[in-house]
Amino acid sequence: MKSNKRKTALICLCGIAAVSVGGMAVYSAFGSAPETAAATNTASVERMDIRQYVTVSGTVKSSETSELSSSAVNTKVKKVSVRTGDRVKKGDVIAILDDSELQSRLASAEKQLENIKAKNDIELSSAKRIYDNAVAERAEKSERGSKILSSAKESYDKALSEKNEAAKAYSDAVSCRTAKSDELKAALDEAEAAAERAAELKTELDNAKSEYKRLKAEYDLLEADSTTSADELKAAKDRCDEAAELSAEAEAALTEAKEQAKALSDIAEKYASELSSAVLDEKESKAELSTAGRDLEQAKSDVNTASYSKTDTDEANAGDVANKADSLKAAGISAEDMLSEPMQQIEQIKRSIADCTVRADRDGVVTAVNVKEGELYTGGTIAVIQDDSSFMVSAFADQYDISKLEKDQPVEITINAVSSEVLDGTLSFVAPTPDAPTYSAEGSAAGGTEYSLEADLSKQPEGMRIGMTAKLGIITGEKKGVLAVPDNCISTDVDGSSYITVEDDAHAQRKIAVERGICNDYYTEIISSEVSENMKVIAPKEDNSDTSVFY
């Protein structure tokens, strides 16, 4: 059951500054309503500053607390070096646990780890060897394939060169055969023309001879005739001589023509022989070109075959190397996995061994020691150290107030054990969920739903100690210079709206509808365009004999 119960309330009149007609009047947080308002059952509309509070009780605690424990559970406590109340420095030994069993477990785990490493080294070396062999085989086969492909390409280049040469030779042979054919045709045409010319000259010669024979016969007749005159005979003689000359010329021309025809015929025969040789050369060149073409196609096929073979071999070898690489990687991962658990176990044992010496993690005061020498430590807090040089206030708020609270709200803190001074502070923590309820011996809940709070002090008074009680006034709202009246002066109409009853100097009364604003335990802000400062408000009669204020 929690020892400190908190009752929340709004602090009455705390920090209210009431401004009167003649000046500013400050109302104490513990003051009562004005005497005149109580005596005359009226109150004035006043301009003032109003603060809203949630008030709770709390306990002074260290702002830094350490609960020391150890991971070396189920271990015997060899030594406890402190007692409650001792002051310690960071690093001081608090307790020592027996680590002999842990040391034995560590030696066993390290030996197991050493064996696993040795086994892993063997498996990794084997996998690495297989991988290296695959890489070397891939390089060797790739180089062999490259040489075969290079040789095939050289053969292809040679075949291509030979085909080009054969094609040129064939082209030259075709050109030569064409030229010889043209020469033969020209020679035959010339020989034929020469033969025709010789035939023409033969006819001319025959005609010339016939003409000479006729003219010779005519001359002989004239010469034999005594009656022929000398002139007639001379004329006949001239004609006969001219015919003889023409016949001789025709015979000479015919002889020349025959010789020319014979020469041209010989040339034609020569060209015919050369054409025959050219035709044979062309056929041979064509056959050689065809052979070179087949050789080139075969060389091209050999290049493709070598290229495809190299590609297939490279891919197969690359796949094999990749598989061996995966096997090597898998072996490495497996080795890591096999080492992981024992290494973690060793680290855990080492941490437990280190944790067998429990040291203070800060300067402070030992406020609890929960173990004894010789007993078995089964876990939990060994000792509690609190820093008594820095304080905070811990408190609780119930479910009705928690919605008004949030981090960084200002807090007014009073610690009566050291001073009546109100200390400034700040709400540093507001729990998002309530603490678990405590239960009585009968099993019923001992308290309501409560949420934990923490507040920091802006300054720490001398003499403050851990565990002192404190009062916290958490400021949840504040307005300055608002019009306000005592809360009991505001009435509620049948429709639920709020109003005040004001009285003028002639004691005439009227109702003014108002809206409620911020309030504290005594005063409430009223909002209305009809309300002004110093208005007289009717207040109901009530018993004000008890002027005590709840704290």
Side-chain angles (χ1 to χ4, degrees), residues 5 13 214 257 264 323 349 401 425 475 508 536:
K5 291 298 180 179
L13 309 178
R214 184 184 67 78
L264 291 173
N323 290 335
I349 295 173
D401 289 326
I475 301 171
K536 295 296 183 181

Side-chain angles (χ1 to χ4, degrees), residues 257-273:
K258 285 181 177 180
E259 291 176 355
Q260 184 176 5
K262 178 66 171 63
L264 291 173
S265 177
D266 293 341
I267 291 173
E269 287 181 4
K270 175 188 174 186
Y271 284 165
S273 177

Side-chain angles (χ1 to χ4, degrees), residues 529-540:
S529 59
E530 298 181 46
V531 176
S532 59
E533 191 176 354
N534 296 325
M535 276 185 168
K536 295 296 183 181
V537 183
I538 301 299

Side-chain angles (χ1 to χ4, degrees), residues 140-457:
E140 181 182 349
K141 289 183 177 180
S142 179
E143 183 179 1
R144 188 184 309 137
S146 296
K147 288 181 178 179
I148 294 173
L149 178 59
S150 177
S151 177
K153 286 181 177 180
E154 289 178 0
S155 297
Y156 173 79
D157 292 340
K158 181 179 178 181
L160 179 61
S161 176
E162 290 176 352
K163 180 180 180 296
N164 290 337
E165 291 177 0
K168 185 177 183 307
Y170 174 68
S171 177
D172 292 344
V174 170
S175 298
C176 180
R177 188 262 304 162
T178 302
K180 294 302 181 183
S181 178
D182 291 342
E183 288 177 350
L184 176 60
K185 184 176 181 303
L188 288 174
D189 289 343
E190 289 179 359
E192 183 179 358
E196 289 175 354
R197 176 62 179 161
E200 290 175 358
L201 291 174
K202 178 71 169 57
T203 301
E204 290 178 2
L205 176 60
D206 290 343
N207 291 335
K209 284 182 176 182
S210 297
E211 182 66 16
Y212 172 72
K213 185 176 181 181
R214 184 184 67 78
L215 291 175
K216 182 72 170 64
E218 184 179 336
Y219 172 76
D220 288 344
L221 288 176
L222 289 175
E223 185 181 22
D225 187 356
S226 57
T227 61
T228 303
S229 65
D231 291 336
E232 288 178 338
L233 186 60
K234 185 178 182 308
K237 179 72 166 62
D238 291 339
R239 285 195 296 277
C240 184
D241 291 341
E242 183 179 355
E245 185 178 350
L246 289 174
S247 178
E249 290 178 356
E251 187 172 5
L254 176 60
T255 299
E256 184 180 356
K258 285 181 177 180
E259 291 176 355
Q260 184 176 5
K262 178 66 171 63
L264 291 173
S265 177
D266 293 341
I267 291 173
E269 287 181 4
K270 175 188 174 186
Y271 284 165
S273 177
E274 291 177 354
L275 176 60
S276 178
S277 296
V279 169
L280 290 175
D281 290 343
E282 180 183 353
K283 288 181 178 180
E284 291 176 359
S285 297
K286 186 175 182 180
E288 291 175 357
L289 176 61
S290 178
T291 300
R294 287 193 299 272
D295 291 345
L296 179 62
E297 288 300 319
Q298 182 60 48
K300 182 178 180 180
S301 176
D302 292 345
V303 169
N304 289 335
T305 299
S307 178
Y308 293 148
S309 176
K310 184 179 186 304
T311 299
D312 292 344
T313 301
D314 287 348
E315 288 178 354
N317 290 334
D320 185 53
V321 169
N323 290 335
K324 298 300 189 296
D326 290 342
S327 297
L328 177 59
K329 184 176 181 181
I333 294 172
S334 176
E336 289 180 2
D337 290 343
M338 292 179 68
L339 290 174
S340 177
E341 184 176 349
M343 288 178 69
Q344 289 178 2
Q345 183 181 8
I346 288 172
E347 289 303 315
Q348 179 61 44
I349 295 173
K350 287 181 177 180
R351 283 195 296 269
S352 296
I353 291 174
D355 283 352
C356 283
T357 302
V358 182
R359 297 179 181 275
D361 62 349
R362 66 179 67 254
D363 295 353
V365 175
V366 178
T367 58
V369 178
N370 299 325
V371 295
K372 296 179 181 179
E373 292 182 6
E375 69 179 7
L376 186 68
Y377 173 65
T378 57
T381 301
I382 292 174
V384 178
I385 299 175
Q386 296 191 47
D387 180 2
D388 60 349
S389 64
S390 176
F391 300 96
M392 46 83 72
V393 178
S394 174
F396 291 87
D398 66 26
Q399 60 187 334
Y400 301 104
D401 289 326
I402 192 63
S403 61
K404 305 171 189 175
L405 305 181
E406 59 185 39
K407 186 180 177 182
D408 296 329
Q409 285 177 328
V411 182
E412 294 179 349
I413 303 170
T414 305
I415 305 172
N416 288 329
V418 293
S419 173
S420 61
E421 178 186 2
V422 177
L423 306 172
D424 292 330
T426 303
L427 199 60
S428 57
F429 173 74
V430 178
T433 57
D435 284 16
T438 56
Y439 294 90
S440 65
E442 293 77 16
S444 60
T449 302
E450 295 182 323
Y451 296 76
S452 62
L453 310 173
E454 291 180 1
D456 294 334
L457 296 116

